[in-house]
Amino acid sequence: MTREVTLPLIVDDRGTLQVAAADVSKLLRTMGGRWLRLVETGESGRLDEDTVAALTIELAKLADRIDVACIAHSSGQSS
């Protein structure tokens, strides 16, 4: 089963972003990368490699969607 995650852009009444999307997408990518390194170095002990890989891919996809939404927002387009 695939579930969609929707993260709205949070803007104030002047259109100013209240959450730095670049920081959120960087955090998502960093989390995935750290999980992968734990698996690769054998430090995780209990993490399943296939599950970590799948989660890392999904986090990267979500980060990409956030980036695209921000680009559309900053260029005045709606997605």
Side-chain angles (χ1 to χ4, degrees):
M1 173 186 338
T2 302
R3 293 186 182 200
E4 288 289 319
V5 175
T6 302
L7 293 178
L9 294 175
I10 301 169
V11 295
D12 63 18
D13 57 350
R14 292 172 287 160
T16 304
L17 287 172
Q18 297 300 304
V19 176
D23 291 340
V24 175
S25 59
K26 181 180 177 181
L27 172 67
L28 294 172
R29 289 185 177 96
T30 300
M31 285 173 48
R34 287 185 181 172
W35 289 344
L36 284 175
R37 280 190 293 282
L38 286 173
V39 170
E40 289 170 354
T41 61
E43 295 177 47
S44 68
R46 298 177 58 140
L47 295 178
D48 176 70
E49 185 175 351
D50 292 337
T51 301
V52 168
L55 288 171
T56 299
I57 290 167
E58 293 306 314
L59 287 176
K61 287 179 184 177
L62 179 56
D64 289 345
R65 287 178 40 210
I66 291 169
D67 291 344
V68 168
C70 288
I71 291 167
H73 174 76
S74 66
S75 66
Q77 300 172 9
S78 59
S79 45

